[in-house]
Amino acid sequence: MGNKSRERIYGASVRAAAERAAAARKEADRLACEAWNKRMLSFQGPAQPSPTLGDALNAGYCYLEVKCLACETHQTVALDIIRRRKSTPIHELERYMRCRQCSELSGFPYKRSHLVALRTTKISVRDPRSEWWPGER
């Protein structure tokens, strides 16, 4: 009598369970990012707790929209180039954001920026900047 290896007996079910777990993590991260975006856009403030950098990247949110409080410009920052641990919460990135235009005008790094929302794409004509809900005042 030949013995079947454990890989052959249980391998398919183990791989299927791992794939379901990865899909569930991705869905949970996406829902956490959407909830944080809704809190940010409706309350207009730093919503805590925020998803981590790794959660946002896993969910497909590769950009963070930032608004300069001085010149009112909206810019997107790519999250995959930020040199922080993946366990860093998104709301902690606010203190490191600087407006390039205001910094060039003042001659020193201008740090008055505000996080707006996580985005899947950059700001463009087809995908405009995020608006405060229910409309800016």
Side-chain angles (χ1 to χ4, degrees), residues 14-70:
V14 170
R15 281 190 298 275
E19 289 173 7
R20 284 195 315 270
R25 273 193 301 274
K26 189 170 187 170
E27 179 68 14
D29 292 343
R30 186 186 64 78
L31 292 173
C33 291
E34 284 180 10
W36 188 75
N37 278 347
K38 289 182 192 269
R39 284 195 311 266
M40 287 295 289
L41 293 174
S42 61
F43 299 140
Q44 300 180 10
Q48 297 177 14
S50 63
T52 63
L53 193 57
D55 293 345
L57 290 172
N58 185 33
Y61 288 91
C62 299
Y63 298 98
L64 176 65
E65 185 176 347
V66 181
K67 175 183 176 182
C68 177
L69 297 175

Side-chain angles (χ1 to χ4, degrees), residues 4-123:
K4 293 185 180 180
S5 69
R6 292 184 187 272
E7 170 66 27
R8 194 165 180 195
I9 296 171
Y10 300 112
S13 63
V14 170
R15 281 190 298 275
E19 289 173 7
R20 284 195 315 270
R25 273 193 301 274
K26 189 170 187 170
E27 179 68 14
D29 292 343
R30 186 186 64 78
L31 292 173
C33 291
E34 284 180 10
W36 188 75
N37 278 347
K38 289 182 192 269
R39 284 195 311 266
M40 287 295 289
L41 293 174
S42 61
F43 299 140
Q44 300 180 10
Q48 297 177 14
S50 63
T52 63
L53 193 57
D55 293 345
L57 290 172
N58 185 33
Y61 288 91
C62 299
Y63 298 98
L64 176 65
E65 185 176 347
V66 181
K67 175 183 176 182
C68 177
L69 297 175
C71 63
E72 300 286 324
T73 59
H74 287 247
Q75 299 173 354
T76 52
V77 178
L79 292 178
D80 57 350
I81 64 168
I82 293 178
R83 296 169 65 187
R84 297 276 179 259
R85 294 183 314 179
K86 299 297 182 205
S87 61
T88 304
I90 295 292
H91 72 270
E92 288 186 6
L93 299 176
E94 186 170 30
R95 64 179 143 180
Y96 302 111
M97 300 296 157
R98 296 180 174 96
C99 179
R100 182 180 300 151
Q101 296 170 351
C102 292
S103 297
E104 290 173 357
L105 287 175
S106 64
F108 59 90
Y110 193 75
K111 290 189 184 180
R112 293 201 50 190
S113 62
H114 185 72
L115 302 181
V116 178
L118 290 168
R119 301 175 59 95
T120 55
T121 58
K122 287 181 150 184
I123 295 175

